[in-house]
């Protein structure tokens, strides 16, 4: 299969020229993939098309407000689209079912692995919802409305860390500003996704703050969470735990050990400085990105895993002194 990168004009033409859409989000769905899918689904329906959105995994109740009033439609599926999906493997259980049938993919990942014949990709966009916004605008006036704007804002805000990450560019803010003109309650959205925490999550964070250990004059912070502790919260409540040690002033490398079902320990590392945690994790067969990476330890005690990992971190810190 050959893939072609198309522009907004061609993408809009494609959407106008087809019908009976199935819009697929990636597994383990986040605000961007759900915001894009619900926003695009609403836009296509307004265009007079049949459209449904689906995801292989359960969608958190936090996203219910985006799906308000969107009853599934009855039709024979014809056109499969993915949104915010960097690789067909990320479709999860839906890869086998639909992976070969995707006609068009909208994405913003630099690492996008082509799987659809037509691609609309903006690797510099903070969220795929930015790209979907421009695509819906291209479909013509009168399509965008408050509900669609709310969906796309959720995608942009959640993927940009509430506009805090460096990926939030001037264009990100301009698009968000245009969306805000539609008058939805953005403060409520940002409260739900950034401030609100369940009591179970707070209890888990309390444990992290209490047990955190510092190494190398506070330049490295390490904490471990047992299987039982992790099971005290549901999966969406465990988002972002790995970033907590790094929030502490002076910490250059933050480590969260998470115990797996089989007793092994998965270490998630976050770097605040120029320390390359991908390289550190690589020494243990792991990987990831320069500032966020992970590796696993099996067949050793937590103490031993900690010892081995902090030794590698010590070397990295020494190199950069
Ligand atoms: Mn995204």
């Amino acid at each position: 299969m050959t893939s072609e990168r198309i522009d907004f004009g061609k993408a809009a033409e494609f959407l106008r020229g087809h019908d009976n859409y199935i819009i697929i989000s990636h597994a383990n769905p986040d605000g961007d993939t759900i915001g894009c899918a619900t926003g695009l689904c609403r836009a296509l329906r307004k265009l007079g098309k049949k459209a449904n959105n689906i995801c292989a995994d359960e969608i958190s109740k936090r996203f219910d407000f985006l799906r308000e009033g969107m009853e599934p439609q009855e039709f024979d599926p014809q056109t499969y689209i993915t949104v915010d999906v960097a690789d067909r493997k990320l479709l999860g259980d839906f890869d086998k079912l639909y992976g070969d049938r995707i006609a068009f993919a909208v994405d913003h990942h630099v690492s996008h692995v082509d799987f659809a014949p037509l691609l609309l990709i903006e690797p510099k966009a903070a969220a795929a919802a930015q790209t979907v916004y421009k695509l819906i605008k291209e479909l013509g006036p009168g399509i965008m409305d408050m509900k669609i704007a709310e969906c796309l804002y959720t995608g942009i805000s959640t993927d940009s860390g509430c506009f805090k990450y460096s990926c939030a560019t001037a264009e990100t803010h301009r698009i968000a500003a245009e969306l805000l003109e539609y008058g939805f309650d953005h403060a409520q959205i940002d409260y739900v996704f950034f401030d609100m925490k369940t009591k179970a999550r707070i209890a888990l964070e309390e444990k992290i703050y209490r047990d955190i250990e510092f190494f190398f004059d506070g330049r490295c912070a390490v904490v471990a969470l047992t299987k039982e502790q992790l099971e005290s919260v549901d999966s969406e409540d465990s988002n972002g735990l790995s970033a907590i040690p790094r929030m502490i002033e002076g910490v250059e490398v933050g480590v969260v050990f998470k115990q797996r079902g089989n007793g092994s320990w998965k270490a998630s590392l976050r770097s605040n400085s120029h320390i390359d945690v991908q390289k550190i994790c690589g020494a243990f067969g792991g990987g990831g990105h320069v500032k966020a990476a992970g590796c696993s330890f099996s067949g050793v005690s937590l103490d031993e895993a900690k010892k081995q990992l902090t030794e590698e971190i010590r070397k990295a810190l020494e190199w950069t002194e």
Side-chain angles (χ1 to χ4, degrees):
M1 188 215 51
T2 51
S3 293
E4 185 195 347
R5 302 211 171 201
I6 56 174
D7 61 17
F8 285 94
K10 279 228 170 87
E13 207 175 286
F14 173 88
L15 292 181
R16 278 192 223 99
H18 291 76
D19 204 345
N20 293 11
Y21 288 99
I22 300 292
I23 306 162
I24 316 178
S25 290
H26 59 73
N28 189 18
D30 61 10
D32 192 25
T33 197
I34 298 300
C36 286
T38 48
L40 188 57
C41 190
R42 287 173 185 279
L44 288 170
R45 287 181 181 185
K46 270 186 105 169
L47 209 61
K49 309 286 185 186
K50 298 272 189 207
N52 284 331
N53 48 275
I54 59 171
C55 179
D57 290 345
E58 203 188 322
I59 299 167
S60 158
K61 286 200 176 1
R62 288 189 194 196
F63 297 119
D64 279 356
F65 72 104
L66 299 178
R67 301 153 64 83
E68 231 165 64
M70 286 183 74
E71 297 308 320
Q73 294 182 324
E74 294 265 337
F75 57 88
D76 288 328
Q78 282 168 354
T79 319
Y80 293 85
I81 296 180
T82 61
V83 281
D84 193 39
V85 179
D87 188 317
R88 58 178 281 177
K89 283 186 223 141
L90 301 173
L91 293 171
D93 291 345
F94 280 177
D95 180 20
K96 247 198 222 131
L97 281 169
Y98 307 114
D100 290 328
R101 295 192 226 170
I102 312 302
F104 175 45
V106 184
D107 191 26
H108 71 123
H109 293 94
V110 190
S111 58
H112 186 93
V113 180
D114 297 356
F115 56 84
L118 297 178
L119 312 165
L120 180 64
I121 297 175
E122 285 192 301
K124 287 203 173 107
Q130 272 185 221
T131 314
V132 170
Y133 169 76
K134 286 152 84 177
L135 177 56
I136 291 174
K137 260 181 74 174
E138 188 73 30
L139 285 173
I143 302 280
M144 187 61 74
D145 59 26
M146 187 176 93
K147 222 44 221 181
I148 298 174
E150 200 177 29
C151 294
L152 301 181
Y153 178 88
T154 301
I156 294 171
S157 175
T158 52
D159 249 26
S160 66
C162 208
F163 305 90
K164 273 193 304 191
Y165 304 152
S166 50
C167 63
T169 59
E171 187 186 34
T172 308
H173 285 268
R174 269 195 292 272
I175 291 175
E178 287 181 33
L179 293 170
L180 288 178
E181 300 281 1
Y182 290 88
F184 55 88
D185 189 352
H186 67 95
Q188 176 62 18
I189 294 174
D190 290 326
Y191 165 73
V192 166
F193 291 103
F194 293 99
D195 292 345
M196 189 181 82
K197 286 173 181 173
T198 61
K199 290 197 178 94
R201 164 73 181 221
I202 295 287
L204 193 58
E205 286 191 14
E206 185 187 14
K207 191 249 163 303
I208 292 179
Y209 290 123
R210 193 180 57 225
D211 292 356
I212 218 154
E213 272 182 274
F214 294 96
F215 295 84
F216 320 124
D217 295 325
R219 295 172 73 194
C220 172
V222 181
V223 73
L225 296 169
T226 63
K227 204 166 53 132
E228 291 73 25
Q229 285 163 340
L230 288 163
E231 280 164 3
S232 70
V233 295
D234 55 33
S235 65
E236 73 177 285
D237 259 351
S238 54
N239 283 341
L241 288 174
S242 308
I244 291 178
R246 181 188 65 167
M247 289 175 188
I248 303 163
E249 186 180 16
V251 170
E252 292 175 61
V253 181
V255 182
V256 176
F257 278 99
K258 293 176 189 162
Q259 193 178 32
R260 293 290 181 223
N262 59 8
S264 70
W265 291 90
K266 159 110 203 282
S268 296
L269 279 70
R270 296 290 182 270
S271 166
N272 244 350
S273 61
H274 43 269
I275 303 285
D276 181 350
V277 289
Q278 181 178 31
K279 212 169 134 196
I280 295 170
C281 291
F284 302 97
H289 309 275
V290 175
K291 290 191 179 291
C295 55
S296 288
F297 295 85
S298 49
V300 295
S301 67
L302 175 62
D303 280 345
E304 181 57 29
K306 230 187 260 180
K307 209 174 120 198
Q308 290 180 12
L309 185 61
T310 51
E311 175 58 20
E312 217 47 48
I313 293 169
R314 186 187 61 77
K315 284 193 238 160
L317 289 169
E318 266 175 15
W319 270 95
T320 57
E321 250 165 3

